Amino acid sequence: MNPPQENQPNLYFGQAELEHLQSKTPLGQLEFREEASSTNDIALELIENENTKYPLLVLTESQTSGRGRSTNQWWSAKGALTFSIALAANSTNLAPNRWPMASMTAGLAVCEALEQFLPDADLNIKWPNDVFANKRKICGILVETPRLHKKNLIIGIGINVNNSISNAPAEIADLATSMCDLGGRTFSLPDVLESVVTKLIDRLAWLGSRDQDLRKRWTSRCLLTNQKIQVNSPAKELTGICQGIDEEGALLLKTEAGLERCFAGTISILPEN
Ligand code: BTN
């Protein structure tokens, strides 16, 4: 943990920043690690402890084995934000039937938070759980539930903030971006985190009571609307034109056989004929 330099954005988390974050957000517990394998894994361990308070935030400055969806790894370097929020699903409006909507809601919260720092960027959700800025991936979201009991929901979020993509492996550099690359400057990590956590907790509270508002916002930020796409899931492979996202978080696809609702899958954007 290094002290911030005068007039420079705060690039690190010290005790003062962590206390400030707790005072400004309704977090029940904050766990900070200077280095961690995966914040989702730490959250999975902590929810086994009956004294854990929710929402629980697990934060690290350096994640060494970040996990992505399926078997993917999550690349992050110093300057990235990597954290997980664990929620007690039984004490919120997050009933299991709303869990598919949680990653869309998290994506929306990230878009709305990052927009405060990058007002000129075009921030979109790529269903089901990526955030894109100016058509490049800036954030990945991994929503998990423990295998054995389903009392908790863990939302892992990785945002490229001050980690320039010019230092990333080539396969990532071709598709991704970061806040510092877009803004041409560094950003205060504690400020970005506070903004994302505040938006996330606020928008998750809309689930069940303001589903139509959420749907409108998902749809207006959907990167895939009107695009020809292919959705690959273990169950099926579908091709069609994306019609947006419905109130349950399902991707709507106009196929030759009619309108299909997709609840999971990997997306490929296809060239127009
Ligand atoms: C994806 O794009 O496939 C999802 C990436 C999710 C990365 C975040 S970083 C914090 C949290 N801990 C992890 O191990 N993964 C998530």
Short mmCIF file of all heavy atoms in Angstrom, two decimals, residues 171-230:
data_model
loop_
_atom_site.label_atom_id
_atom_site.label_comp_id
_atom_site.label_asym_id
_atom_site.label_seq_id
_atom_site.Cartn_x
_atom_site.Cartn_y
_atom_site.Cartn_z
N GLU A 171 -3.54 -11.55 -27.54
CA GLU A 171 -4.92 -11.97 -27.80
C GLU A 171 -5.93 -11.13 -27.02
O GLU A 171 -7.09 -10.99 -27.41
CB GLU A 171 -5.11 -13.48 -27.53
CG GLU A 171 -4.93 -13.94 -26.10
CD GLU A 171 -3.47 -14.20 -25.70
OE1 GLU A 171 -2.56 -13.77 -26.41
OE2 GLU A 171 -3.26 -14.83 -24.64
N ILE A 172 -5.46 -10.53 -25.91
CA ILE A 172 -6.33 -9.64 -25.14
C ILE A 172 -6.25 -8.22 -25.71
O ILE A 172 -7.27 -7.54 -25.88
CB ILE A 172 -5.93 -9.64 -23.65
CG1 ILE A 172 -6.24 -11.03 -23.06
CG2 ILE A 172 -6.64 -8.55 -22.85
CD1 ILE A 172 -5.65 -11.26 -21.70
N ALA A 173 -5.03 -7.80 -26.03
CA ALA A 173 -4.83 -6.43 -26.52
C ALA A 173 -5.69 -6.15 -27.76
O ALA A 173 -6.16 -5.03 -27.96
CB ALA A 173 -3.37 -6.20 -26.83
N ASP A 174 -5.95 -7.16 -28.57
CA ASP A 174 -6.73 -6.96 -29.80
C ASP A 174 -8.19 -6.66 -29.52
O ASP A 174 -8.88 -6.09 -30.35
CB ASP A 174 -6.68 -8.23 -30.67
CG ASP A 174 -5.31 -8.38 -31.32
OD1 ASP A 174 -4.54 -7.41 -31.27
OD2 ASP A 174 -5.03 -9.48 -31.83
N LEU A 175 -8.70 -7.09 -28.34
CA LEU A 175 -10.15 -7.02 -28.10
C LEU A 175 -10.55 -6.14 -26.92
O LEU A 175 -11.73 -5.87 -26.73
CB LEU A 175 -10.69 -8.44 -27.81
CG LEU A 175 -10.40 -9.51 -28.85
CD1 LEU A 175 -10.71 -10.89 -28.31
CD2 LEU A 175 -11.22 -9.22 -30.10
N ALA A 176 -9.55 -5.75 -26.09
CA ALA A 176 -9.90 -5.12 -24.82
C ALA A 176 -9.48 -3.65 -24.78
O ALA A 176 -8.79 -3.16 -25.67
CB ALA A 176 -9.23 -5.88 -23.67
N THR A 177 -9.92 -2.98 -23.73
CA THR A 177 -9.47 -1.61 -23.48
C THR A 177 -9.44 -1.40 -21.98
O THR A 177 -9.83 -2.28 -21.20
CB THR A 177 -10.37 -0.58 -24.19
OG1 THR A 177 -9.76 0.71 -24.09
CG2 THR A 177 -11.77 -0.51 -23.57
N SER A 178 -8.95 -0.23 -21.56
CA SER A 178 -8.95 0.10 -20.13
C SER A 178 -9.33 1.57 -19.97
O SER A 178 -9.29 2.35 -20.94
CB SER A 178 -7.57 -0.14 -19.53
OG SER A 178 -6.69 0.87 -19.98
N MET A 179 -9.69 1.93 -18.74
CA MET A 179 -10.08 3.32 -18.51
C MET A 179 -8.93 4.27 -18.82
O MET A 179 -9.14 5.33 -19.40
CB MET A 179 -10.55 3.49 -17.06
CG MET A 179 -11.87 2.80 -16.79
SD MET A 179 -12.41 2.95 -15.07
CE MET A 179 -12.79 4.70 -14.96
N CYS A 180 -7.69 3.87 -18.45
CA CYS A 180 -6.58 4.81 -18.69
C CYS A 180 -6.28 4.93 -20.18
O CYS A 180 -5.92 6.00 -20.66
CB CYS A 180 -5.34 4.42 -17.87
SG CYS A 180 -4.53 2.91 -18.37
N ASP A 181 -6.48 3.84 -20.93
CA ASP A 181 -6.27 3.94 -22.38
C ASP A 181 -7.31 4.85 -23.01
O ASP A 181 -7.01 5.62 -23.93
CB ASP A 181 -6.32 2.55 -23.03
CG ASP A 181 -5.11 1.70 -22.65
OD1 ASP A 181 -4.00 2.26 -22.53
OD2 ASP A 181 -5.27 0.48 -22.44
N LEU A 182 -8.54 4.76 -22.53
CA LEU A 182 -9.62 5.58 -23.11
C LEU A 182 -9.53 7.04 -22.66
O LEU A 182 -9.78 7.95 -23.45
CB LEU A 182 -10.98 5.04 -22.70
CG LEU A 182 -11.45 3.77 -23.41
CD1 LEU A 182 -12.74 3.27 -22.79
CD2 LEU A 182 -11.66 4.03 -24.89
N GLY A 183 -9.22 7.22 -21.38
CA GLY A 183 -9.25 8.59 -20.83
C GLY A 183 -7.93 9.33 -20.98
O GLY A 183 -7.87 10.54 -20.77
N GLY A 184 -6.85 8.60 -21.31
CA GLY A 184 -5.55 9.25 -21.46
C GLY A 184 -4.97 9.72 -20.13
O GLY A 184 -4.12 10.60 -20.10
N ARG A 185 -5.45 9.15 -19.02
CA ARG A 185 -4.93 9.51 -17.69
C ARG A 185 -5.24 8.36 -16.73
O ARG A 185 -5.98 7.45 -17.10
CB ARG A 185 -5.58 10.79 -17.18
CG ARG A 185 -7.10 10.66 -16.93
CD ARG A 185 -7.67 11.94 -16.34
NE ARG A 185 -9.11 11.85 -16.12
CZ ARG A 185 -9.69 11.49 -14.98
NH1 ARG A 185 -8.95 11.14 -13.95
NH2 ARG A 185 -11.00 11.46 -14.85
N THR A 186 -4.67 8.45 -15.52
CA THR A 186 -5.01 7.43 -14.53
C THR A 186 -6.22 7.89 -13.72
O THR A 186 -6.55 9.07 -13.69
CB THR A 186 -3.82 7.18 -13.58
OG1 THR A 186 -3.36 8.42 -13.09
CG2 THR A 186 -2.70 6.44 -14.27
N PHE A 187 -6.87 6.92 -13.07
CA PHE A 187 -8.08 7.19 -12.28
C PHE A 187 -7.87 6.70 -10.86
O PHE A 187 -7.12 5.74 -10.62
CB PHE A 187 -9.28 6.45 -12.90
CG PHE A 187 -9.67 7.00 -14.24
CD1 PHE A 187 -9.03 6.59 -15.40
CD2 PHE A 187 -10.65 7.98 -14.34
CE1 PHE A 187 -9.37 7.12 -16.64
CE2 PHE A 187 -11.00 8.52 -15.57
CZ PHE A 187 -10.36 8.09 -16.72
N SER A 188 -8.55 7.33 -9.91
CA SER A 188 -8.46 6.91 -8.52
C SER A 188 -9.18 5.57 -8.35
O SER A 188 -10.41 5.49 -8.53
CB SER A 188 -9.10 7.97 -7.62
OG SER A 188 -9.44 7.38 -6.38
N LEU A 189 -8.42 4.53 -8.00
CA LEU A 189 -9.05 3.20 -7.83
C LEU A 189 -10.12 3.22 -6.74
O LEU A 189 -11.21 2.67 -6.93
CB LEU A 189 -7.99 2.16 -7.50
CG LEU A 189 -7.17 1.59 -8.66
CD1 LEU A 189 -6.23 0.50 -8.15
CD2 LEU A 189 -8.03 1.05 -9.77
N PRO A 190 -9.85 3.86 -5.56
CA PRO A 190 -10.91 3.88 -4.54
C PRO A 190 -12.18 4.59 -5.03
O PRO A 190 -13.29 4.16 -4.71
CB PRO A 190 -10.26 4.62 -3.36
CG PRO A 190 -8.79 4.40 -3.54
CD PRO A 190 -8.59 4.39 -5.03
N ASP A 191 -12.02 5.67 -5.81
CA ASP A 191 -13.21 6.38 -6.30
C ASP A 191 -14.00 5.52 -7.28
O ASP A 191 -15.23 5.48 -7.24
CB ASP A 191 -12.81 7.69 -7.01
CG ASP A 191 -12.36 8.76 -6.04
OD1 ASP A 191 -12.45 8.53 -4.81
OD2 ASP A 191 -11.90 9.82 -6.51
N VAL A 192 -13.29 4.83 -8.18
CA VAL A 192 -14.00 3.98 -9.15
C VAL A 192 -14.71 2.84 -8.41
O VAL A 192 -15.88 2.55 -8.65
CB VAL A 192 -13.03 3.42 -10.22
CG1 VAL A 192 -13.76 2.48 -11.18
CG2 VAL A 192 -12.38 4.56 -11.01
N LEU A 193 -14.02 2.25 -7.44
CA LEU A 193 -14.63 1.14 -6.70
C LEU A 193 -15.87 1.61 -5.93
O LEU A 193 -16.92 0.95 -5.97
CB LEU A 193 -13.61 0.53 -5.72
CG LEU A 193 -14.15 -0.63 -4.89
CD1 LEU A 193 -14.55 -1.81 -5.76
CD2 LEU A 193 -13.13 -1.07 -3.85
N GLU A 194 -15.75 2.75 -5.27
CA GLU A 194 -16.91 3.26 -4.50
C GLU A 194 -18.11 3.48 -5.42
O GLU A 194 -19.24 3.14 -5.09
CB GLU A 194 -16.52 4.57 -3.80
CG GLU A 194 -17.67 5.12 -2.96
CD GLU A 194 -17.33 6.49 -2.36
OE1 GLU A 194 -16.17 6.74 -2.02
OE2 GLU A 194 -18.27 7.30 -2.25
N SER A 195 -17.83 4.03 -6.57
CA SER A 195 -18.92 4.32 -7.50
C SER A 195 -19.57 3.01 -8.00
O SER A 195 -20.80 2.90 -8.05
CB SER A 195 -18.34 5.13 -8.66
OG SER A 195 -19.29 5.34 -9.61
N VAL A 196 -18.75 2.01 -8.32
CA VAL A 196 -19.32 0.74 -8.83
C VAL A 196 -20.09 0.03 -7.71
O VAL A 196 -21.21 -0.45 -7.93
CB VAL A 196 -18.20 -0.18 -9.39
CG1 VAL A 196 -18.77 -1.54 -9.76
CG2 VAL A 196 -17.54 0.46 -10.60
N VAL A 197 -19.52 -0.02 -6.51
CA VAL A 197 -20.20 -0.72 -5.41
C VAL A 197 -21.53 -0.04 -5.08
O VAL A 197 -22.56 -0.70 -4.89
CB VAL A 197 -19.28 -0.78 -4.16
CG1 VAL A 197 -20.04 -1.24 -2.93
CG2 VAL A 197 -18.10 -1.72 -4.42
N THR A 198 -21.53 1.28 -5.06
CA THR A 198 -22.76 2.02 -4.75
C THR A 198 -23.83 1.72 -5.79
O THR A 198 -24.98 1.41 -5.46
CB THR A 198 -22.46 3.55 -4.71
OG1 THR A 198 -21.43 3.76 -3.75
CG2 THR A 198 -23.68 4.34 -4.32
N LYS A 199 -23.44 1.81 -7.07
CA LYS A 199 -24.42 1.55 -8.15
C LYS A 199 -24.89 0.11 -8.10
O LYS A 199 -26.07 -0.18 -8.31
CB LYS A 199 -23.78 1.79 -9.53
CG LYS A 199 -23.73 3.21 -9.95
CD LYS A 199 -25.06 3.67 -10.56
CE LYS A 199 -24.93 5.11 -11.05
NZ LYS A 199 -26.11 5.91 -10.85
N LEU A 200 -23.96 -0.81 -7.84
CA LEU A 200 -24.32 -2.23 -7.86
C LEU A 200 -25.37 -2.54 -6.78
O LEU A 200 -26.39 -3.17 -7.06
CB LEU A 200 -23.06 -3.08 -7.65
CG LEU A 200 -23.26 -4.59 -7.61
CD1 LEU A 200 -23.83 -5.09 -8.94
CD2 LEU A 200 -21.95 -5.30 -7.33
N ILE A 201 -25.11 -2.07 -5.57
CA ILE A 201 -26.04 -2.37 -4.48
C ILE A 201 -27.39 -1.69 -4.75
O ILE A 201 -28.45 -2.26 -4.55
CB ILE A 201 -25.43 -1.96 -3.12
CG1 ILE A 201 -24.24 -2.90 -2.83
CG2 ILE A 201 -26.47 -2.03 -2.00
CD1 ILE A 201 -23.45 -2.58 -1.58
N ASP A 202 -27.33 -0.49 -5.29
CA ASP A 202 -28.56 0.24 -5.61
C ASP A 202 -29.37 -0.48 -6.70
O ASP A 202 -30.57 -0.70 -6.57
CB ASP A 202 -28.18 1.65 -6.06
CG ASP A 202 -29.40 2.52 -6.22
OD1 ASP A 202 -29.97 2.87 -5.17
OD2 ASP A 202 -29.81 2.80 -7.36
N ARG A 203 -28.72 -0.85 -7.78
CA ARG A 203 -29.45 -1.47 -8.90
C ARG A 203 -29.93 -2.89 -8.54
O ARG A 203 -30.99 -3.32 -8.99
CB ARG A 203 -28.58 -1.52 -10.16
CG ARG A 203 -28.24 -0.15 -10.72
CD ARG A 203 -29.50 0.59 -11.17
NE ARG A 203 -29.20 1.93 -11.66
CZ ARG A 203 -29.43 3.05 -10.99
NH1 ARG A 203 -29.98 3.02 -9.79
NH2 ARG A 203 -29.15 4.23 -11.53
N LEU A 204 -29.18 -3.61 -7.71
CA LEU A 204 -29.65 -4.94 -7.30
C LEU A 204 -30.94 -4.81 -6.48
O LEU A 204 -31.80 -5.69 -6.51
CB LEU A 204 -28.58 -5.67 -6.48
CG LEU A 204 -27.41 -6.23 -7.29
CD1 LEU A 204 -26.29 -6.69 -6.36
CD2 LEU A 204 -27.83 -7.38 -8.21
N ALA A 205 -31.08 -3.68 -5.77
CA ALA A 205 -32.29 -3.48 -4.98
C ALA A 205 -33.52 -3.25 -5.87
O ALA A 205 -34.65 -3.35 -5.42
CB ALA A 205 -32.10 -2.29 -4.03
N TRP A 206 -33.28 -2.95 -7.15
CA TRP A 206 -34.40 -2.79 -8.09
C TRP A 206 -35.00 -4.14 -8.50
O TRP A 206 -36.12 -4.19 -8.98
CB TRP A 206 -33.93 -2.08 -9.37
CG TRP A 206 -33.68 -0.60 -9.22
CD1 TRP A 206 -33.53 0.10 -8.05
CD2 TRP A 206 -33.52 0.35 -10.28
NE1 TRP A 206 -33.30 1.42 -8.32
CE2 TRP A 206 -33.28 1.60 -9.68
CE3 TRP A 206 -33.56 0.26 -11.66
CZ2 TRP A 206 -33.08 2.76 -10.44
CZ3 TRP A 206 -33.35 1.41 -12.41
CH2 TRP A 206 -33.11 2.64 -11.80
N LEU A 207 -34.21 -5.21 -8.35
CA LEU A 207 -34.70 -6.53 -8.79
C LEU A 207 -35.98 -6.87 -8.03
O LEU A 207 -36.01 -6.84 -6.80
CB LEU A 207 -33.65 -7.61 -8.54
CG LEU A 207 -32.50 -7.68 -9.53
CD1 LEU A 207 -31.42 -8.63 -9.04
CD2 LEU A 207 -33.00 -8.11 -10.90
N GLY A 208 -37.01 -7.19 -8.79
CA GLY A 208 -38.28 -7.56 -8.14
C GLY A 208 -39.22 -6.39 -7.98
O GLY A 208 -40.43 -6.57 -8.02
N SER A 209 -38.68 -5.17 -7.84
CA SER A 209 -39.58 -4.03 -7.67
C SER A 209 -39.57 -3.11 -8.89
O SER A 209 -40.57 -2.46 -9.20
CB SER A 209 -39.22 -3.24 -6.41
OG SER A 209 -37.89 -2.82 -6.49
N ARG A 210 -38.45 -3.06 -9.58
CA ARG A 210 -38.36 -2.15 -10.75
C ARG A 210 -37.79 -2.91 -11.94
O ARG A 210 -36.91 -2.41 -12.65
CB ARG A 210 -37.50 -0.94 -10.39
CG ARG A 210 -38.13 -0.10 -9.28
CD ARG A 210 -37.33 1.16 -8.97
NE ARG A 210 -37.20 2.05 -10.12
CZ ARG A 210 -36.55 3.21 -10.08
NH1 ARG A 210 -36.01 3.62 -8.95
NH2 ARG A 210 -36.45 3.97 -11.15
N ASP A 211 -38.31 -4.11 -12.17
CA ASP A 211 -37.79 -4.96 -13.25
C ASP A 211 -37.93 -4.29 -14.63
O ASP A 211 -37.07 -4.45 -15.49
CB ASP A 211 -38.49 -6.33 -13.25
CG ASP A 211 -38.05 -7.17 -12.06
OD1 ASP A 211 -37.03 -6.85 -11.43
OD2 ASP A 211 -38.75 -8.16 -11.76
N GLN A 212 -39.04 -3.54 -14.82
CA GLN A 212 -39.22 -2.90 -16.13
C GLN A 212 -38.18 -1.81 -16.37
O GLN A 212 -37.70 -1.62 -17.49
CB GLN A 212 -40.64 -2.32 -16.26
CG GLN A 212 -41.72 -3.38 -16.48
CD GLN A 212 -41.42 -4.28 -17.68
OE1 GLN A 212 -40.81 -3.88 -18.68
NE2 GLN A 212 -41.83 -5.55 -17.59
N ASP A 213 -37.84 -1.09 -15.29
CA ASP A 213 -36.78 -0.05 -15.41
C ASP A 213 -35.45 -0.71 -15.77
O ASP A 213 -34.69 -0.21 -16.60
CB ASP A 213 -36.61 0.71 -14.10
CG ASP A 213 -37.76 1.68 -13.86
OD1 ASP A 213 -38.36 2.12 -14.85
OD2 ASP A 213 -38.05 1.97 -12.69
N LEU A 214 -35.18 -1.85 -15.10
CA LEU A 214 -33.94 -2.56 -15.39
C LEU A 214 -33.94 -3.00 -16.85
O LEU A 214 -32.96 -2.82 -17.57
CB LEU A 214 -33.79 -3.78 -14.48
CG LEU A 214 -33.35 -3.50 -13.05
CD1 LEU A 214 -33.43 -4.76 -12.21
CD2 LEU A 214 -31.91 -2.94 -13.02
N ARG A 215 -35.05 -3.57 -17.28
CA ARG A 215 -35.12 -4.07 -18.65
C ARG A 215 -34.86 -2.96 -19.66
O ARG A 215 -34.12 -3.15 -20.63
CB ARG A 215 -36.49 -4.70 -18.90
CG ARG A 215 -36.49 -5.39 -20.24
CD ARG A 215 -37.82 -5.51 -20.87
NE ARG A 215 -37.60 -5.98 -22.25
CZ ARG A 215 -38.53 -6.38 -23.05
NH1 ARG A 215 -39.77 -6.43 -22.64
NH2 ARG A 215 -38.24 -6.77 -24.26
N LYS A 216 -35.49 -1.82 -19.43
CA LYS A 216 -35.28 -0.69 -20.37
C LYS A 216 -33.80 -0.33 -20.44
O LYS A 216 -33.25 -0.08 -21.51
CB LYS A 216 -36.05 0.54 -19.85
CG LYS A 216 -37.45 0.65 -20.42
CD LYS A 216 -38.04 2.02 -20.07
CE LYS A 216 -39.51 1.85 -19.77
NZ LYS A 216 -40.01 2.70 -18.70
N ARG A 217 -33.17 -0.30 -19.27
CA ARG A 217 -31.75 0.10 -19.25
C ARG A 217 -30.85 -0.96 -19.86
O ARG A 217 -29.89 -0.65 -20.56
CB ARG A 217 -31.33 0.42 -17.82
CG ARG A 217 -31.96 1.72 -17.36
CD ARG A 217 -31.62 2.04 -15.93
NE ARG A 217 -32.42 3.16 -15.49
CZ ARG A 217 -31.94 4.25 -14.88
NH1 ARG A 217 -30.66 4.33 -14.61
NH2 ARG A 217 -32.72 5.22 -14.53
N TRP A 218 -31.16 -2.25 -19.59
CA TRP A 218 -30.36 -3.31 -20.23
C TRP A 218 -30.48 -3.18 -21.74
O TRP A 218 -29.50 -3.28 -22.46
CB TRP A 218 -30.89 -4.70 -19.88
CG TRP A 218 -30.78 -5.14 -18.48
CD1 TRP A 218 -29.87 -4.70 -17.57
CD2 TRP A 218 -31.60 -6.10 -17.81
NE1 TRP A 218 -30.07 -5.35 -16.38
CE2 TRP A 218 -31.12 -6.20 -16.50
CE3 TRP A 218 -32.68 -6.89 -18.20
CZ2 TRP A 218 -31.69 -7.07 -15.57
CZ3 TRP A 218 -33.24 -7.75 -17.28
CH2 TRP A 218 -32.76 -7.84 -15.98
N THR A 219 -31.72 -3.02 -22.21
CA THR A 219 -31.97 -3.04 -23.64
C THR A 219 -31.29 -1.86 -24.31
O THR A 219 -30.69 -2.00 -25.38
CB THR A 219 -33.49 -3.07 -23.90
OG1 THR A 219 -33.96 -4.33 -23.41
CG2 THR A 219 -33.82 -2.96 -25.37
N SER A 220 -31.36 -0.68 -23.67
CA SER A 220 -30.74 0.48 -24.33
C SER A 220 -29.21 0.35 -24.35
O SER A 220 -28.55 1.01 -25.13
CB SER A 220 -31.19 1.78 -23.68
OG SER A 220 -30.57 1.89 -22.43
N ARG A 221 -28.65 -0.49 -23.48
CA ARG A 221 -27.19 -0.65 -23.45
C ARG A 221 -26.74 -1.95 -24.12
O ARG A 221 -25.56 -2.29 -24.06
CB ARG A 221 -26.69 -0.67 -22.00
CG ARG A 221 -26.93 0.63 -21.30
CD ARG A 221 -25.82 0.94 -20.37
NE ARG A 221 -26.07 2.18 -19.66
CZ ARG A 221 -25.29 3.23 -19.76
NH1 ARG A 221 -24.22 3.21 -20.52
NH2 ARG A 221 -25.57 4.32 -19.07
N CYS A 222 -27.68 -2.68 -24.70
CA CYS A 222 -27.32 -4.00 -25.26
C CYS A 222 -26.48 -3.83 -26.53
O CYS A 222 -26.95 -3.27 -27.53
CB CYS A 222 -28.60 -4.79 -25.55
SG CYS A 222 -28.26 -6.38 -26.29
N LEU A 223 -25.26 -4.32 -26.48
CA LEU A 223 -24.33 -4.19 -27.61
C LEU A 223 -24.80 -4.98 -28.82
O LEU A 223 -24.41 -4.71 -29.95
CB LEU A 223 -22.95 -4.71 -27.16
CG LEU A 223 -21.78 -4.58 -28.10
CD1 LEU A 223 -21.31 -3.13 -28.15
CD2 LEU A 223 -20.61 -5.46 -27.63
N LEU A 224 -25.64 -6.00 -28.58
CA LEU A 224 -25.95 -6.97 -29.63
C LEU A 224 -27.24 -6.66 -30.40
O LEU A 224 -27.49 -7.29 -31.43
CB LEU A 224 -26.06 -8.37 -29.01
CG LEU A 224 -24.83 -8.83 -28.22
CD1 LEU A 224 -25.10 -10.14 -27.49
CD2 LEU A 224 -23.64 -9.00 -29.16
N THR A 225 -28.04 -5.73 -29.89
CA THR A 225 -29.35 -5.47 -30.52
C THR A 225 -29.18 -5.16 -32.01
O THR A 225 -28.31 -4.37 -32.40
CB THR A 225 -30.05 -4.29 -29.80
OG1 THR A 225 -30.20 -4.64 -28.43
CG2 THR A 225 -31.43 -4.02 -30.39
N ASN A 226 -30.02 -5.84 -32.80
CA ASN A 226 -30.05 -5.71 -34.27
C ASN A 226 -28.83 -6.32 -34.96
O ASN A 226 -28.67 -6.17 -36.17
CB ASN A 226 -30.20 -4.23 -34.72
CG ASN A 226 -31.54 -3.69 -34.30
OD1 ASN A 226 -32.52 -4.44 -34.23
ND2 ASN A 226 -31.60 -2.41 -33.98
N GLN A 227 -27.98 -6.99 -34.22
CA GLN A 227 -26.82 -7.63 -34.84
C GLN A 227 -27.14 -9.09 -35.14
O GLN A 227 -27.90 -9.73 -34.39
CB GLN A 227 -25.63 -7.62 -33.88
CG GLN A 227 -25.24 -6.24 -33.44
CD GLN A 227 -23.77 -5.97 -33.72
OE1 GLN A 227 -23.28 -6.27 -34.82
NE2 GLN A 227 -23.10 -5.44 -32.76
N LYS A 228 -26.51 -9.62 -36.17
CA LYS A 228 -26.64 -11.05 -36.46
C LYS A 228 -25.65 -11.79 -35.57
O LYS A 228 -24.44 -11.49 -35.60
CB LYS A 228 -26.34 -11.31 -37.93
CG LYS A 228 -26.62 -12.74 -38.34
CD LYS A 228 -26.46 -12.91 -39.84
CE LYS A 228 -26.75 -14.34 -40.22
NZ LYS A 228 -26.39 -14.61 -41.62
N ILE A 229 -26.16 -12.71 -34.78
CA ILE A 229 -25.27 -13.40 -33.82
C ILE A 229 -25.53 -14.91 -33.80
O ILE A 229 -26.58 -15.38 -34.24
CB ILE A 229 -25.44 -12.84 -32.37
CG1 ILE A 229 -26.89 -13.00 -31.89
CG2 ILE A 229 -25.00 -11.41 -32.27
CD1 ILE A 229 -27.07 -12.65 -30.42
N GLN A 230 -24.55 -15.60 -33.23
CA GLN A 230 -24.72 -17.04 -32.96
C GLN A 230 -24.58 -17.23 -31.45
O GLN A 230 -23.67 -16.66 -30.85
CB GLN A 230 -23.64 -17.82 -33.68
CG GLN A 230 -23.88 -19.32 -33.64
CD GLN A 230 -22.87 -20.03 -34.52
OE1 GLN A 230 -21.68 -20.02 -34.23
NE2 GLN A 230 -23.35 -20.64 -35.59
#
